Amino acid sequence: MKIAIVTGASSGLGREMVLQLGDRYGKLGEIWVIARREERLVELKGRVPVPLRILPLDLTKEAALYRLRKELEKRNPEVVFLVNASGYGKIGPVGKVDLEEETGMVALNCEALCAVTHLVLPYMAKNGRIIQFASAAAFLPQPGFAVYAATKAFVLSYSRALNSELKPRGIRVTAVCPGPVRTEFFRIAETTGTIPLYKRLAMASPKRVAALAVRDSAAGKAVSVYGPLMKAFFLLSKILPHGLMLTVMEHLQGD
Ligand SMILES: NC(=O)c1ccc[n+]([C@@H]2O[C@H](COP(=O)([O-])OP(=O)(O)OC[C@H]3O[C@@H](n4cnc5c(N)ncnc54)[C@H](OP(=O)(O)O)[C@@H]3O)[C@@H](O)[C@H]2O)c1
């Protein structure tokens, strides 16, 4: 059976990916939706013309990865899309954010993303697509959001390398790198600090970011960057010295 697997499906970008993949790829036999909040996953049923398999899992737990491994072994699906959208960030200087939150970002954004990818890879269809949610925070170190930005730099680097590795199998990996998006992300991120005004003003719609991610993934793009502002930021981060950009950002943070 051809399926899609989406982590972080209970809200924001992951949820939007479920809705858009379901609408665009009605021939999928199932979408497996993963997150901790089961009621949110159940609520998605009936909103997409594809049956959902609800997997309420905390992906930072060994037992959750075991459960996913067993589901894959039992059902032996052909995975056409894997979307890794589970992730979170906590704003604040290193050492001021709780230790569990600092290491927790690494555990979910990096380790769990690698683990899910590893487990699903043997089941990926030829010409299948992997969509990894990185962030524009991957482009440049971010004082005040250091651990989060570093986890996303990891996701971007990992995804690009994986994209090269998987080309012989016809599988393409797209690292999605949006700037700020209007989701529950900031409700969680801002319990430890607030985002600068310029980020609040640049908030994108999750629908549009997800739509571009689906299009870019179908086109086989390695990186998906939404909006002219973030595209310019991406370009500048490639051509300007990062020290200079960090100084500019330090001034903007002060606003
Ligand atoms: N919003 C932005 O500005 C933005 C910008 C760039 C990149 N991103 C990235 O895009 C992805 C989606 O973020 P979002 O904006 O959609 O945020 P969101 O609305 O807060 O969604 C995060 C998702 O991750 C899931 N999650 C959190 N902890 C988990 C765990 N331990 N195990 C399994 N799932 C877990 C949450 O579900 P449960 O709580 O139910 O587990 C939720 O479904 C993230 O990787 C984020 O870093 C976001």
Side-chain angles (χ1 to χ4, degrees), residues 115-174:
V116 170
T117 307
H118 178 102
L119 292 174
V120 175
L121 261 188
Y123 300 89
M124 285 299 301
K126 190 169 165 49
N127 299 320
R129 294 290 187 258
I130 299 177
I131 299 175
Q132 311 280 35
F133 275 86
S135 165
F139 302 155
L140 193 73
Q142 286 208 8
F145 213 9
V147 177
Y148 177 73
T151 66
K152 294 302 178 177
F154 172 97
V155 175
L156 177 57
S157 169
Y158 167 78
S159 304
R160 293 182 104 164
L162 188 62
N163 187 43
S164 290
E165 284 185 14
L166 295 178
K167 272 187 188 158
R169 285 174 64 186
I171 299 166
R172 293 304 166 95
V173 184
T174 303

Side-chain angles (χ1 to χ4, degrees), residues 18-19 23 41-52 54:
V18 174
L19 299 176
D23 277 346
L41 300 175
V42 171
E43 185 266 334
L44 271 171
K45 278 190 171 176
R47 287 180 177 258
V48 273
V50 175
L52 300 184
I54 310 286

